Amino acid sequence: MYLVATSKGIYKITGKEEIELVCCEGESMYDFILKGGRLYTCSSSNGVTIDNRNVIDESCWRLYELSLIHISEPTRLVGSEMCIRDSHITDFAVYKNKIIASVEDGHLLVGDELSSLKPIKFFADSHNLLSKGNYLYITTADGLYVTQDLENFHVIEKGYFHGIEDLGELILAQVRSKRPLFLGKEYKWERLNLELPSPTFGVTAISKIDNENIVYSTSSLVEINLKKLEAKTLIKNLPMTRRVKVVDH
């Protein structure tokens, strides 16, 4: 089963042409967590809700489960002295025992805990983070970056990158393109020769099923075998995806 946060609500997809609206009709939804039978949602227009009950009435772009905290405007987490006008936190990661927060547009924020987050020199329109071993990967509006020390940053590939997924041995990243998928690790990556409906701005289009299979969702939802480069479309004409997740697949 897949849950898809879209520009017009959250949908459940269980099979080919099997789609059901489960929450937030007409709202632009950016993230959600389904935990213990409860649905936590994150919206730029309606803040954070739990089972459709509003609990935080301010813009939200990402939910991250440290202890089910919400990610919203940087002022809420790090103080007004670090606020960048019209910026917001887009993701969290734990890297080398540090909490990392990405900001769109802004510096990476780093700290031992949320209350101690401080900016470092890296500045970009940042979208998603992935911590794996000795490496931190950052998807941004101008490229896919990797660092091993939070001081030196190497650009792997230029482009409007958004989603990034750990597949085990390899990592999958998604760029705004008709051939949107890159596969690799560390400093060695390749573009997959697979044409798909292109993501637009703000779309995290990929989610892992297993080490060889993913779900890809933009204006259509597609199951993809990465080893065979085979794609099977389950849903067409979907409201534009913001984030897709595999649930009890």
Side-chain angles (χ1 to χ4, degrees):
M1 179 177 82
Y2 308 118
L3 287 179
V4 189
T6 78
S7 59
K8 294 184 179 179
I10 297 178
Y11 290 84
K12 176 173 69 175
I13 295 170
T14 53
K16 188 172 180 62
E17 299 181 3
E18 296 176 357
I19 182 170
E20 176 187 348
L21 179 70
V22 297
C23 176
C24 319
E25 182 175 8
E27 289 185 45
S28 185
M29 307 303 298
Y30 276 86
D31 200 7
F32 58 88
I33 293 176
L34 182 63
K35 185 176 179 66
R38 309 190 76 182
L39 181 63
Y40 300 75
T41 70
C42 173
S43 164
S44 60
S45 60
N46 200 35
V48 178
T49 71
I50 303 175
D51 294 335
N52 285 314
R53 179 175 60 87
N54 185 266
V55 292
I56 300 175
D57 189 17
E58 62 179 59
S59 296
C60 176
W61 280 264
R62 185 77 162 104
L63 293 168
Y64 186 86
E65 191 178 352
L66 290 175
S67 54
L68 274 180
I69 57 175
H70 88 290
I71 300 175
S72 185
E73 296 180 18
T75 50
R76 185 173 183 87
L77 294 177
V78 298
S80 60
E81 72 278 3
M82 290 168 56
C83 177
I84 305 167
R85 185 171 179 82
D86 297 325
S87 297
H88 56 272
I89 293 175
T90 54
D91 203 4
F92 274 150
V94 177
Y95 174 68
K96 294 187 175 181
N97 297 317
K98 299 283 188 182
I99 296 175
I100 315 295
S102 56
V103 179
E104 179 182 357
D105 299 343
H107 296 274
L108 284 185
L109 307 178
V110 179
D112 294 321
E113 54 190 24
L114 291 177
S115 60
S116 66
L117 290 176
K118 296 183 183 297
I120 61 174
K121 67 178 183 180
F122 183 84
F123 186 98
D125 180 355
S126 300
H127 299 142
N128 283 292
L129 302 169
L130 177 64
S131 173
K132 186 173 176 65
N134 198 40
Y135 297 87
L136 178 70
Y137 302 89
I138 311 146
T139 61
T140 79
D142 65 354
L144 171 63
Y145 288 82
V146 62
T147 180
Q148 293 179 264
D149 55 15
L150 296 177
E151 293 183 2
N152 300 289
F153 295 85
H154 178 77
V155 61
I156 299 295
E157 188 77 26
K158 288 289 189 179
Y160 186 91
F161 279 82
H162 218 285
I164 188 163
E165 279 283 291
D166 184 0
L167 300 180
E169 183 179 346
L170 297 174
I171 297 168
L172 183 73
Q174 156 235 317
V175 70
R176 188 170 178 260
S177 168
K178 291 183 179 179
R179 290 194 298 137
L181 300 181
F182 279 80
L183 192 64
K185 63 179 180 178
E186 300 171 4
Y187 301 101
K188 187 176 180 180
W189 293 71
E190 65 173 335
R191 188 175 215 146
L192 299 185
N193 188 24
L194 188 63
E195 289 198 7
L196 296 162
S198 178
T200 186
F201 299 105
V203 173
T204 299
I206 53 178
S207 187
K208 173 184 174 180
I209 299 174
D210 56 39
N211 289 354
E212 291 185 5
N213 295 277
I214 67 156
V215 59
Y216 174 90
S217 186
T218 55
S219 57
S220 298
L221 185 137
V222 185
E223 291 178 336
I224 299 171
N225 182 287
L226 297 172
K227 187 174 183 179
K228 299 177 181 178
L229 286 187
E230 292 179 349
K232 178 175 69 174
T233 300
L234 297 189
I235 300 293
K236 295 181 179 180
N237 301 318
L238 186 69
M240 184 57 70
T241 297
R242 304 300 187 200
R243 190 172 296 269
V244 57
K245 296 182 182 180
V246 178
V247 180
D248 192 28
H249 189 89

